[in-house]
Amino acid sequence: SPLLIDYDGSVLPFLGGLGGRYQRTLVLLTWVPALFIGFSKFSDSFLLDQPDFWCREADGQGNWSGSLAPGHANRSGNGSIFPPPGLPTPAGGNASECDCHEWHYRIRAGLVQNVVSKWDLVCDSAWKVHIAKFSLLVGLIFGHLITGCIADWVGRRPVLLFSVIFILIFGLTVALSVNVTMFSTLRFFEGFCLAGIVLSLYALRIELCPPGHRFMITMVASFIEMSGQFLMPGLAALCRDWQVLQAVIICPFLLMLLYWVIFPESLRWLMATQQFEASKELILQFTHKNRMNTESDIKGVVPELEKEITRRPKKVCIVKVVGTRNLWKNIVVLCVNSLTGYGIHHCFAKSMMGHEAKMAITHNFYADYYTMAGIALASCLAMCPVVGFLGRRGGLLLFMILTALASLLQLGLLNLIGKYSQLPDSGMSDSVKDKFSTAFSIVGMFSSHAVGSLSVFFCAEITPTVIRGGGLGLVLASAGFGRLTAPIMELHNQKGYFLHHVIFACCTLICIICILLLPESKNQNLPENIPDGEHYTRQPLLPHKKGEQPLLLTNSELKDYSGLHDSAAVSDGISENTTANGMKSM
């Protein structure tokens, strides 16, 4: 029935949109866990931060055993061989002096002990820190891909609840790890479960909202998650020990066990997959919670549901998108945008911190941490008016152009300035180049963060409800691959950094062209099934002038090209002496 397919136009207004008290409560319940998610996502900065470290002789007399190899002396989260101020400076040595009986640490991240100091992950064991960082990100990637498909098959609510149960099990077990191998393995499963929570809440939040409120509701969740990032240093300072910090981060998820009782399945997903019996029960639950009278059902949604109640459920897997004409292209474009945005963000961050000397611009962990968080916050604040004015596609295009400009200027112009400053009469010092580099890096981090976040939201809007979990899983996994480039570059000691930046700079240029092919989803109803998603057509960036003939088809004018095959079959019965335009051949 067209009435049941048009969820935003018939079912949601009947339930009161966001005006209903029950709907507002559910939206609030999707916001609260964002704070816990923010704690979990940024815990690596504290659990795995490389502290300053030095070696004390085994006799315990306080004599310094000497410095490490020169390659370990530089630090940007890679530790230091220098003792704290006021202690004797170690004498010069060589790499063999990594053989130390007892390491002493000064942790910069507010903790007395973290994973690195617990198991002495320095010198020849430093690579294990990067593997531990891999584990959470790889778990997130696999979790997004797998839980996204499961959410389309069994529903958003079961994925959310089972992810909460298992993140409590694996997350608390992480705090009991006896070695770094156990820690890394459990962090993988923690990331997997965290991905299920993130994806299911994102989908539920989008599917609860009417068209005019989707972006606002999503941005509020982003700000709450960001507040977790800002509060994390204080939480670490209170906990002091990494095991206590890990337990404090995970324990709030216990509150989400109550969601089994108070949070329903997505009504939009139930109706899109033709589970009309469950849909009817949920609609009655909504009307009861909102104290509504069923007589307000002017369009007759409930009677129409009763007619279709015998239909069998029709669930769809994300692989079905391969046979579409436009939908798969839109999803691929947004996945590449997400990968590029989060991948090049690391390039700008390393450039701002000085990847050559590995010296942070502020020489302070908290200043570096809050600088990154502040840029992300400014990016989200800027997204609100830009997307409200330009729309999803226009905002994404603007931020991608800014990212490309910052990247190309940093790669090209700074190289030119560096060569010019070496001339004896130039009067230009290296500090000018450093200031330009910092400015371009801040602009690039600002815009690339917006590109990544907006790509995920855009994909959630244009992907049909029946496969929204799978589509979100793909774009979030692409974002995870982009983030994964950071520990990969650190593991290789920043080798290939320039090529890494060049590749992503080229990707930004490709993305600018591809974004023009995307449709605009601002104030549009969410597509419920794959044909709806196929009918999303791109519109011109600028409005038509009065009397001007549009060059692109509108939704009502879009033709179903699959009919060409039927017409070809019919034409086989036409006489051979008839041409394609109906004229008889001579």
Side-chain angles (χ1 to χ4, degrees):
S1 170
L3 184 66
L4 302 180
I5 293 175
D6 186 18
Y7 186 89
D8 285 313
S10 58
V11 181
L12 200 56
F14 162 59
L15 298 176
L18 276 183
R21 184 177 63 179
Y22 190 48
Q23 288 92 309
R24 291 199 299 268
T25 302
L26 294 179
V27 170
L28 180 62
L29 290 175
T30 65
W31 283 344
V32 173
L35 181 65
F36 315 148
I37 293 169
F39 288 150
S40 296
K41 280 188 174 180
F42 298 99
S43 60
D44 273 355
S45 299
F46 300 86
L47 299 178
L48 297 170
D49 178 62
Q50 284 280 12
D52 299 330
F53 59 92
W54 59 95
C55 183
R56 189 184 295 272
E57 283 188 342
D59 57 10
Q61 300 300 317
N63 298 318
W64 299 102
S65 64
S67 66
L68 303 181
H72 294 273
N74 298 325
R75 73 169 199 51
S76 173
N78 291 327
S80 171
I81 53 82
F82 298 115
L87 297 178
T89 303
N94 52 43
S96 63
E97 289 161 356
C98 276
D99 298 329
C100 180
H101 297 285
E102 183 182 4
W103 290 106
H104 287 251
Y105 300 92
R106 183 180 61 183
I107 301 173
R108 305 170 297 148
L111 297 173
V112 174
Q113 185 186 60
N114 68 357
V115 173
V116 178
S117 62
K118 171 75 173 179
W119 293 302
D120 293 329
L121 303 182
V122 294
C123 285
D124 294 338
S125 298
W127 62 273
K128 295 179 182 178
V129 178
H130 305 300
I131 298 301
K133 291 180 180 179
F134 284 164
S135 61
L136 184 69
L137 289 172
V138 173
L140 283 167
I141 292 170
F142 279 97
H144 287 313
L145 292 173
I146 295 174
T147 59
C149 296
I150 297 175
D152 288 333
W153 198 255
V154 302
R156 285 73 164 113
R157 182 171 175 267
V159 169
L160 174 63
L161 297 175
F162 279 101
S163 297
V164 168
I165 292 171
F166 283 106
I167 198 173
L168 287 170
I169 295 172
F170 291 117
L172 292 175
T173 312
V174 166
L176 304 177
S177 300
V178 296
N179 54 46
V180 69
T181 303
M182 180 179 176
F183 176 86
S184 300
T185 305
L186 291 172
R187 286 286 277 180
F188 169 85
F189 291 106
E190 181 189 345
F192 189 99
C193 299
L194 182 63
I197 296 174
V198 171
L199 186 142
S200 54
L201 285 174
Y202 206 109
L204 285 166
R205 196 180 298 123
I206 289 285
E207 292 172 358
L208 274 169
C209 301
H213 296 85
R214 288 195 298 259
F215 185 71
M216 178 195 70
I217 297 298
T218 304
M219 290 309 299
V220 170
S222 298
F223 288 126
I224 294 174
E225 182 178 318
M226 219 165 290
S227 67
Q229 182 180 2
F230 277 94
L231 293 173
M232 201 53 200
L235 192 64
L238 289 174
C239 294
R240 306 296 288 169
D241 186 82
W242 74 270
Q243 291 174 305
V244 177
L245 177 62
Q246 173 68 16
V248 169
I249 289 171
I250 296 298
C251 282
F253 285 105
L254 283 168
L255 298 174
M256 294 188 67
L257 293 176
L258 297 174
Y259 282 36
W260 187 275
V261 179
I262 60 180
F263 210 99
E265 182 55 85
S266 169
L267 177 60
R268 188 188 295 267
W269 176 78
L270 288 174
M271 297 195 70
T273 53
Q274 299 181 9
Q275 301 180 64
F276 294 129
E277 186 173 359
S279 300
K280 181 184 175 182
E281 294 176 1
L282 191 51
I283 285 177
L284 294 177
Q285 180 180 339
F286 269 84
T287 56
H288 174 71
K289 296 284 187 180
N290 291 329
R291 298 177 181 177
M292 296 172 56
N293 191 342
T294 54
E295 294 178 359
S296 62
D297 186 10
I298 301 174
K299 294 187 177 181
V301 174
V302 176
E304 196 67 34
L305 269 175
E306 293 174 348
K307 293 179 185 178
E308 306 283 348
I309 209 166
T310 56
R311 280 183 177 270
R312 295 184 60 184
K314 187 178 180 182
K315 300 176 182 179
V316 185
C317 183
I318 187 63
V319 295
K320 292 287 185 181
V321 81
V322 177
T324 60
R325 182 182 180 86
N326 299 312
L327 188 56
W328 74 270
K329 299 174 187 176
N330 296 336
I331 294 175
V332 168
V333 167
L334 290 171
C335 287
V336 175
N337 274 271
S338 178
L339 171 66
T340 303
Y342 283 105
I344 204 169
H345 188 274
H346 170 70
C347 299
F348 289 122
K350 277 299 175 186
S351 179
M352 188 176 75
M353 297 301 175
H355 71 279
E356 293 291 343
K358 299 182 183 176
M359 292 293 289
I361 57 173
T362 54
H363 308 280
N364 184 282
F365 170 82
Y366 292 106
D368 294 341
Y369 182 85
Y370 281 116
T371 298
M372 299 289 189
I375 292 172
L377 177 61
S379 176
C380 288
L381 288 172
M383 282 172 61
C384 297
V386 169
V387 174
F389 181 70
L390 297 178
R392 282 55 160 156
R393 184 178 58 160
L396 183 60
L397 181 62
L398 175 63
F399 287 119
M400 185 60 81
I401 290 173
L402 285 176
T403 304
L405 286 175
S407 180
L408 294 175
L409 288 173
Q410 193 170 59
L411 291 172
L413 182 61
L414 293 183
N415 189 29
L416 182 62
I417 292 175
K419 291 181 179 179
Y420 182 70
S421 62
Q422 294 176 358
L423 297 177
D425 300 331
S426 64
M428 187 179 294
S429 63
D430 289 337
S431 62
V432 177
K433 177 183 176 182
D434 295 338
K435 290 177 182 178
F436 271 109
S437 178
T438 302
F440 291 144
S441 297
I442 291 174
V443 172
M445 292 172 65
F446 169 86
S447 56
S448 61
H449 183 273
V451 166
S453 302
L454 194 51
S455 297
V456 175
F457 174 73
F458 203 170
C459 187
E461 283 199 319
I462 68 171
T463 306
T465 301
V466 291
I467 56 169
R468 182 164 293 118
L472 266 174
L474 287 173
V475 73
L476 288 170
S478 301
F481 277 114
R483 292 192 187 99
L484 197 60
T485 58
I488 289 175
M489 294 301 296
E490 290 175 1
L491 183 62
H492 289 84
N493 199 24
Q494 305 303 325
K495 292 178 181 178
Y497 165 83
F498 183 78
L499 180 60
H500 175 216
H501 198 165
V502 169
I503 291 173
F504 277 114
C506 295
C507 288
T508 60
L509 300 177
I510 297 172
C511 289
I512 289 173
I513 299 172
C514 294
I515 288 171
L516 298 173
L517 304 176
L518 295 173
E520 178 55 64
S521 58
K522 180 183 177 183
N523 294 327
Q524 300 291 321
N525 294 346
L526 289 178
E528 304 300 337
N529 48 43
I530 290 180
D532 287 346
E534 278 288 271
H535 290 168
Y536 256 45
T537 55
R538 63 187 187 276
Q539 299 294 330
L541 283 174
L542 300 176
H544 298 299
K545 295 180 181 179
K546 190 174 182 181
E548 183 181 3
Q549 181 69 24
L551 299 177
L552 298 175
L553 295 177
T554 61
N555 284 341
S556 60
E557 298 169 334
L558 188 66
K559 306 296 182 183
D560 183 8
Y561 290 94
S562 62
L564 293 176
H565 302 289
D566 299 333
S567 62
V570 173
S571 64
D572 291 340
I574 300 177
S575 176
E576 294 183 359
N577 61 347
T578 304
T579 59
N581 59 4
M583 298 295 292
K584 299 210 177 200
S585 58
M586 300 298 294

